[in-house]
Structure formats: structure tokens, C-alpha cells
Amino acid sequence: MGQQLGFYLNQQFCMGCKTCAVACKDKNDMEIGVNLRRLTEVSGGGFAKVGDTYVPEVFAYWIGVSCNHCDHPKCVENCPTGAMHKNPEDGVVSVDQTKCIGCRYCTWSCPYGAPQYSEQRGKTQKCDMCADYRAQGKDPACVTSCPMRAIEWGPIDELKKKHPDAVVAVHGLPDPLMTSPNTIYTSHKSAVSGGRK
Amino acid sequence: MLHAEWPLALFTLLGQAAAGIYLAVVLVREILARRSDAGQAIKATVLPSLVAGGLMIAAAIVSFLHLGSPLGAYRVLLQVGSSWLSREIAATMLFGLLWLGSVVVERRGGAGLLLGRLTALAGVVLVLCMSMIYQSSVIPAWTSAYTMVSFVATTLVLGGLGMLALRPGVEGVLPVAGWMTLAGLVLQLGGLPLYLGQLAQGSAAGRASLTLLMGAWQPQMWSFLVLGSLTAVAAAVVWQRRVQSLRVVYALLLVGLVGEAMARVIFYAIGVPVAVG
Amino acid sequence: MSEKWSISRRSLLKWSGALAGAAAVGGLGAGGVGPFAPTEANADSEPKVIPTGCSNNCGGRCVIRAHVKEGVITRIESDPDPDSAEQMALRGCLRGRSYRSIVYHPDRLKYPMKRVGKRGEGKFERISWDEATTMIANELKRINEKHGALSIYPHYASGISGPAAGTGFIKRLLGLYAGDYLNYYGTYSSGQTRYATPYTYGTSNSGNHRADWVNSKLIILDGFNPAETVFGTNTMYYLRKAKEAGAKIIVIDPRYTDTALALADEWIPIRPGTDSALIDAMAYTMIKENLHDQAFLDKYCLGFDEEHMPAGTPAGNSYKTYVMGQADGQPKTPEWAQKITGIPANRIKALAREYAMVKPGALIQGFGPQRHANGEQSVRSATLLACMTGNVGRSGGHASGAGYPPSTVTFGGIPVKAGTGKVQISCFIWTDAIVRGAEMTAEKDLIVGAAKLPSNIKLIFNLAGNTLVNQHSDINKTAQILADESLCEFIVTSDIFMSPSAKFSDLVLPGTTTYERDNILTPWGHGEYAIYSNKVIEPMYECREEYDWLSDVAEKLGLKKEFTEGKSLEDWMKFCCEGAAKAHPEFPGFEAFKKAGVFRRKVAAPEIAFAKQIADPEKNKFATPSGKIELFSKALFDRKNPQFVPAVPKYVPAFDGPSDPLVEKYPLQMTGWHYKRRSHSTHDNNPVMTEAGRQEMWINPIDADARGIADGDQVKIFNDRGATLIPAKVTTRIMPGVIAVPQGAWYAPGKDGVDTHGAINILTTQRGSYMSNSNPQHTNLVEVVKA
């Protein structure tokens, strides 16, 4: 295989604006309910009563996920037709629309919700890291959309080198051992895995 | 989840009923063959054999309704090496071919028991493949070994009761049906507490499934428990007292079937995938 | 996204039906896929990429590159250019990105309609453009003759901004025809701060350029949530840069906002409308501990202490006298402020010390803290604190107040007849002016340009606006006033949807979206650029831009030549560019601007507000009456209303605020906010935005538990003015005692008159703020029950 591609997200600066999700939706013409890039809010904590005031001990952050183009993609393993496949050149997992029969097994197989079934198309849709844009020498739509410049893409080894602090597991993500994902995060201060601050 | 999955609920129930009935057919034949000969044994079980095949064909047709793009369904066999769904369909087709083969051979009178045994085996393999599809998902309510337990149980219960309803007077049917039904329900009802405990102690998705089960789907849950228990008791009584009244065995089949259908509906309804958040 | 939203099959079919006439449809079946209209037509053909822009009124203006195939927009890209050291890409947000589903929305208004039922009932009948423009010309003539030019009111509207908007052209036509019209000052967004900031500094341009934020060591964001409001393209990115450069960021807000979670080192929740109490206690702490910059106050400011008061002012009127309690016997201690703000006294002291000692520091106020009954005081208090810490006129500091930058890109506007539009009301009190305009005076109602109004408002032009009903306060009262056809006699609305405002009009005209007309877009001030927003597609259906049909009206009034001067809309844009060419030598000319889509002004270094005045105060005076920073304002003193309009910034308890006795009945404070999924009320009906963020009320678990409310429950919010139904988001991200409802949802009354869509203004008041008669929509008391 060539170089495995992946995403980097600077989660500490992600404000959950969903611009990436909508840019992706527009670029890929997705119907309502089908979102190839998704943001999930995680929040909690509480307020301590101090005298007649409340002191916040609150945390909140967003987790952005499209597809992690995993090393061990369960969706590919479980797909009965071979429509879901991992590109041997760059490790990008995508679904061949000419082969997908819409059995939805892949949507049961991904802990990140990456494969999304389109009722209107009768087929699964998912992030292919904007293969068409990459072929034209452009960046994926989500990357260039982010108002905070918090999303990057590239060979995962290079991203890891560029962001030595980044991790695959932030609090709220499924266990990375399930599929060995290729998205790394600079953790939000409250999302450091194993302990929220 | 349920709304989208009703063709699957129907497909699995039909497929398991077919596999179960055929299993019962083969077991009854084994008993009969020891007392007379294979030809007689086969003759006595022609009707349930045909019904089993018919149910499997119906199951296969229903499965198409699940597909978003059914025209490409032929491709579903391409990943037998890795996909349990491919294997499931392969097993369905194998069952169909073996069944067809055995029907043809049996018609010509060139009967042996081997083809039937192989057909029954294909049916069992099919049920295991079905179960593995769900067990290889990221839905904790499905990845449990209880999925296999309950799929096998449904196969045994519907197989046993179906056989009983089709050939109540034939020798060997009562003990086979009795054993199958009771074994199935003991597994299914007995395994349930373990399964619930597993969900309670598992991930957030598993707990969400449990919440659904104890909340919105509690009435269905109780229905299954009541109907399942009733079926077990009634099957035991029918077996021990050698009841042959058609009215009774049909009623028993109906109660057992509704109970199993209820369990299947719940199975799909409470499927909550592991997710981000 | 956890929110589940679906679009019904029926509406999709309706949609594709609507589009059938407008576009070639192919590929994936009729109507294409999803909310974005038919895009699969001739998938092989190369799209044309047209530079245009997003003109929603969020403060930012963003570059859009629209992909067009066979007259249909197939994709929306934003600024493709990479960021460089010199300039940041002008990237659009989710709203701009989702605009295709506005353009191709099935509910677009498609032809002119006149009202046939009672006003507000929503019954309309299709008419021709000729009938419509004739009706307008006739009504204009009749009402002008009967009630005079000042009874004609071009309404506040921000659905389309820029010179191509209808608001400029209607003023031009009214000047030519009637000789004048009733104008407004202020905005629904920034009325208090635009009014109050100049009392301190003589201008609202009190902010350093955002590029200067990297020089701050401490940034305090008070009610500032650019993650959702946007408030200038790239504002959040500038803040990220500041944080990476080492600034500590503290957010003061009742909500733990998306801005706070992405940037804040600390979050200080505060009861809405009590910012002045917090600031008073900070000032008290600084004075007590001698942390304030007395030299700065002595040199540049008027009114801090008794030694620096305008001649002839009675003793005891300085800020220090007030804050130390020498005037009213109540020192404004942190303990005093704790009871009002809900912030522990120790936290207030620590914040005071930090802001006084970590320099330079920028106290940046959003528009939230000023959108209150007492909002002008919050603004004036913040400017005072910036002065007390000497953070005015210096890099890394911030003078606070409205905070617009010292200068920006300048274009020409649509010329109106000289001398018109001078008589003005606060934009917030127009409903009052419908009922009792002829009784309104300069003294009592803050009328500008005349001692009193000659007439009530009788004719309203509402061009691309939703403040007629939805965005104005107290919807029930507004609806009642508008429903009386004897009061306001004629209402014309031009819009792209049958908005709640359009429903209350006599004539509804189908307008064009930002993609169906040429325009020039300039941000509110935060940005060194302008965008040429090219027309991307031809107007759909019978839709027409306002200039187009106003030209027909002008013709019917015999003024076509004077009104149009023979110019097309594009010609007017060209005309506006002449202003830019004069102001900016580097302006490349109309054609080059239109082609490139963006013009960026050359700036040597980030501008610092008041740098000149601070460097040489003798030579460079502040634009105040005294030439100094006026912490004490003689003009305000002369209002002779010290309790509610004090001459120095004070904490003035708000009506409907946390200390109003009404809390016995309505114990929860309700604030609004600008939700990422809308720009004001624009996009409320956009299915893509509905998916991105459902309309919901935030409530703390403590308040929710007390009311038996669980996350996701449908609840009813109510007070004496009305009630609305909305799902609850039970979250720790809002402080106890306060609920928040995002503004802009479209009013949708049920049979019982209860709004069913979480429209906040069913609950807000038409009473104007104390000092400027502005919009106090964040000051509310309510109760919430499970619906």
C-alpha cells in the first residue's frame, strides 16, 4: 500500500459550528438525515452552590467525525458485495455506487456512523475524502471550509509527525481498538481521554 | 430501528421456521427409518418438507424488500470470504439447492436419507450465519451470544411446532416437536436474564437498548415472556398427554409463533449502535 | 448530529414539481436528491464558477464561488484562496454554505399577491406585476396627499444588505416623489451601544482592528459569541490567533457558549443585564487597591473624580463618588455585586485585579449585554473600565463600547434627494408611531430632526425584512396594531418567503435572493474588503428585485427618468464603485472588481482606535463636546433623569430584570441568542439548517428538575405577553435561574394564540430601553412548564 491518508482535527478550537458538515452536505448533495460529516456535542459537569451563588464546574466540547478510513474497517469486512472497499493506494475507504445494493450492513458495522444510508439513492453514502477534489489537486471540502482552520488531511504518518500531541482517542469516541481509525485529534482540554478537566 | 427493518424480521423468522421444520423432518425420518424403511419415512414427511422449502423461498423473496437497490442483488455473493451476509445468502442458496435436489430424488423414489440430512445441515448453517451478521455489528444488543441463542431457539420452536401442526398423528413427531420446542424456549427464556445483565453492564449503547426494552418496548417484552412460557407449558402437556387434536396443535403453533415474532420485533427495535458522544 | 429531522415525501414532490419548470432535470430522477435542487443534470458538463457573496446580516460578508450548470446552482464553495501572512481567506459559515436550499426552496414566493382576507389572516390572491405596481403608485399618491410624506415609513430590514437592497431605492423614490419620508436611527442589533458609545468617545468606532488582538495578554469577552453570531468574517480565527499568541481568554456570559468552549480559559456566568454591577464592583476593587491608571484618567477623561468635572457641575456627580457610595450611601463592593450578578465576590475581585494588572488587556463587549432595558449602561460601564485600566488607544488594549474599527472600506451609496430622511425615530418604536406618532416629541420619545412628528405612520414599505412582526417585540401586540387597517393603511412587503411579516402585508411581492441580483457587500466594519456579489442565476418564477419594480412604480408616478437615470442595477453598482475609487487609490475599477469578486484595501498596520488622541491629546481631540473622553456626560446630565439616564455609567436595575418585583410571578430570566443555524430570522425554514440545529430552549438541570422537565421535553414558556412551545435542552451550559431561547424562529400561532415554534418575541416587550428607546429583547422574565 501507498501512504495511508487520514484527518487531523484540532478539537480545542472546534466551536461546533457545523460548517464542515454543511459544506460536505452541499458538495455531495446529501438529503436531510444523511450526513457524511457529523458533529456531536459532549457536555456535563454541574454547579456548586457557594453562598447565594452558583459556581460552574462545567465542561463541553464537540467531536467532529466523517470517516476515519480505518486500518481495520469493519464496514469493508462486512460488505457482501465489495462495494465498500479500501483503496490500496491511499487507504481511503469508499463505497462504489455501482456495486452497492443498499443492504445497510455497513451502517451496523461502523462505531462512528460513517456509512450513511440514503433512502433516496437506495445506497450507502460515505466520505471518500473528496476523491474528486484530491484528483484535481484540491483539498477536501471540509478542510477548506473550517472557519477555525481546525481540520487537516494528508498521509497519517505526516500528520502525526506534524502534531506530536495528537491522539486517536478523545473522550466520547468509541474504542479505537475496534477498527484502528486514521483520524487524530489535539484534544480539547475537557476531552483528554481518561479524565475530563 | 424497527420501521426500516421489518423485511429483515420477516426474512429471519421465515428462514428460521424453514430451517427448523426441515430439521424436524430429518429427525422424524431418523426415528421412522429405524422402525420401517427410509422410503416410508420420507413418504410420511413430504408435506412438512415441501412447506419448509416454500417458506425458504418466501424468505428469499422477502429479503429483496430489504435492499435499497435490489437489481444488484446478485453481487451479494461476492464476499463469502469475509462477509457474514454473503455467507448467509450462500447458505440460503445451498439450502434451496439441496432441498430441491432432495425433493427431486425423493420423488423418483431413489431415496436415501443423506440429501435430507445435508439440507438440514445447510439450514442450521444458515441460522448460524444469520446470527453472525448481527454478532459482527457494532450494536451491543446484537453482538451478544444471546443473538445466536435466540435465533437457534426460534428455529427449534417454530420447527417443532410447525412439524406438529403439519403432521400431528405421525409417529415420532410428538417427541421431536416436544424436545425441540422445550429446548428452544428453555434456552431463550433462560438466557434472557444473562443477556439483560450483559446489557446493563455494557457500554452506553447497550444501556440505551436496555432502557428501550424496559421502557417503550416493555409491553412487547411481557407479551413475549407470557406467550413463551405458555407455549413451553402447553407443549409439555401436549407431548406428555399425546394430544392430537388439530385445534389444540394449531392454537399452540399460533401462540408460539406470536411469541417468537414478538421477540424478533423487540430484537430489532432495541438495536442501538455504539456511537460518538 | 443527534437531531432527527426529516423532510416529508410530499414536500419533496411538491419541490420537484416547482422546479420542473425552472430547470432541466435528469440523472437521479425528478427533482434530484436532497434539499439542494436538481444538480445531477448533465453531470458530465463542466460547471461555470461565478464569484459572488453571502449577504446575510451577521456582520461578516463572505466569498462564495457558485457552481452553475445550465442556469442551476449545483454547488456552493467559499473562498478557495489559501490563508497567507497578508490576508485571511474569507470563508463562509454553515449558513452561507446551505443557501442553495433557500434558492430552490419549494415555498419561494413566485408571483405578486394582494391580501383578500383580514390583514394578518394570511389570505392572498395572485395578481399581475402591473396591478401590483399600479396599486403601490395609487396608495403612495393617496396617502402622501392625505397624511403627508412623513407618514410614509421605509421599514428597518436586513434580509438583503448592500446598495442593491430595496431600502436605498425606496428612499430615493420617496425623496423624488413625496419630497421626504420618515426615517429611523439605530438598529435592532446595536441600538444601545451605537447610541451610548459616542457619549463616551464621540464615535462608535472604538475598536482596534481584529489583527491587533494578538498583542493582547488578556482578552475578556463580555457577552460576545462570534462562534455563532459570526460578527465579522474570521472573528473567531482572529481570537484563535490571539490565544495562540499567549492571550488568556475569559468569557462572561450566562451561557457556556460555543465561543467559550473553543477559546475560554475561564467562564464566568452572569445574570443577564447586570454587567454594570460587575463592572462597578471591579472599579471599586481597583480604587480600593489603587490598581487603576489615575494618570490616564487625569489626562484624558472627564468625570472620573470630583477633580475632573465640567465647570459648573454640582459636587457629588463624579463616577468615583457614585461607586464609592458617597452619593447614595451604598459602596459598590464585590459583595454588593455578588447579590446582583450571581458572581462570587472573590471572583469579581480576582477579575478586577487581573484586568488592572495584566496589560495590555482587551475588554470586548458583544451586542448581547447592550440589548437590554439598561443596555446603554453596560456599554458606558465597559468604556469606563477600559479607561480606568489605561487600555484605550494602545495596541493589545481595547476601548470597549461598540468597537467598530476606526476605518473601513468605503463605497458610494444610492443617492437620495438632499435633505430627506432627517426626521427619524428610534427604529424600535415604529409600532408606537403607528398608534400615536402625531403625539411623539423629541423630548419624550427621542424623535430626531423635528420637535414632533406631524403624523402617525400610514404606509410601510417592508423590503426584505421580518421586523414587521417576527423580529419586533411583543408579537401579539404588534399583530393587534397591524391588524387594525384604520391605523396603518397600506403595507407593502417584498420577500422571498411568506414570512410572518409578509402575512401582515396588503401586498406581497416575490423578491430575489442574493444569487439573483448584482450587489456590493461590505462587512459591518470588521474587515478590510468588499465583495462583488455577482448575479449567478436569472430571477426565478416572476421574482423581481426591488429596484426593478420600483422603476415601474416610478414610471406610473411620472418619475422614471429621474428615478433610474437610465441605469440598470449593475450600472448603479458601477456608480457606487466611483466612491470606492475615490476613497481607495488601489481600487482596481468596476470591471476588475466584478471579475475578481473581492477588493482588499491596503492597510499598513492594524489600526488602533484613538491612537492619535492618546499620543497627542492637545492636537487630536475626541469628538465629544468637551474633546475629552466623557465618563461624565453633560448632555446626559441635562436629560435630568438621573435615576434611569445617569450622567456617569451606573448599574441601573432593568425593568423586567432580576430585581423587578415581577420575579415573584415569573422567576426565570430569559435571554435570547443568535443561533448558528440562522442569521436573525433568515434560514429558519431552511431544512438543512433545521437539521444543523433544532430550535430549543436551554435550561439548567437545577431549574429543569424543579419543574419536572427532562431533556427533549416539549415545554411552554410564558409571561403576561404571551406563550410559546419549544423543546427543552437541559444542559449545564447555562447558569441556574436563566433560560435562553435562540431568536429568529418564525412565529407560528396555534388556535389558542400560543406560538408553536419557539418565537422569542411572543414574550418580549415593546418598551424601549431607558436611554435610547432601543430594543431590549434580552430583558425578560418568564416561567416555564412542561407542555
Side-chain angles (χ1 to χ4, degrees), chain C residues 313-333:
Chain C
T313 316
N317 280 300
S318 71
Y319 178 73
K320 198 172 165 185
T321 304
Y322 154 74
V323 82
M324 301 314 285
Q326 290 146 358
D328 58 3
Q330 173 61 64
K332 309 305 177 292
T333 61

Side-chain angles (χ1 to χ4, degrees), chain B residues 8-26 47-59 95 99 119-120 123-124 126-127 130 150-164 166 180 253 256-257 260-261 264:
Chain B
L8 286 182
L10 203 53
F11 163 71
T12 52
L13 281 171
L14 287 169
Q16 285 160 21
I21 290 170
Y22 207 90
L23 182 63
V25 164
V26 168
L47 177 65
S49 163
L50 289 177
V51 169
L55 287 173
M56 193 60 85
I57 289 165
F95 179 94
W99 171 81
T119 308
V124 171
L126 165 61
V127 173
M130 277 182 180
S150 64
F151 277 21
V152 167
T154 303
T155 307
L156 293 175
V157 172
L158 296 185
L161 295 179
M163 187 68 184
L164 184 64
L166 290 166
M180 283 175 72
L253 173 63
L257 184 63
E260 292 304 317
R264 191 54 45 86

Side-chain angles (χ1 to χ4, degrees), chain A residues 60-138:
Chain A
Y61 54 87
W62 292 88
I63 304 177
V65 177
S66 60
C67 168
N68 300 323
H69 305 286
C70 303
D71 288 349
H72 305 295
K74 255 174 120 69
C75 59
V76 172
E77 185 187 313
N78 284 348
C79 176
T81 68
M84 192 69 80
H85 64 287
K86 191 168 173 66
N87 186 322
E89 292 304 311
D90 54 21
V92 167
V93 174
S94 57
V95 52
D96 183 338
Q97 293 290 302
T98 64
K99 290 186 184 162
C100 177
I101 57 168
C103 75
R104 287 176 277 145
Y105 193 6
C106 52
T107 66
W108 302 346
S109 306
C110 176
Y112 304 94
Q116 298 248 315
Y117 180 71
S118 161
E119 292 278 350
Q120 287 181 37
R121 289 173 164 99
K123 292 170 190 209
T124 289
Q125 312 295 312
K126 72 175 288 300
C127 164
D128 64 357
M129 259 190 167
C130 288
D132 51 348
Y133 275 14
R134 288 186 287 120
Q136 294 165 31
K138 289 164 68 173

Side-chain angles (χ1 to χ4, degrees), chain B residues 60-85:
Chain B
I61 292 168
V62 167
S63 74
F64 275 82
L65 298 177
H66 164 69
L67 298 180
S69 305
L71 288 180
Y74 65 91
R75 286 197 208 92
V76 84
L77 287 169
L78 291 175
Q79 301 295 315
V80 173
S82 73
S83 171
W84 283 104
L85 182 50

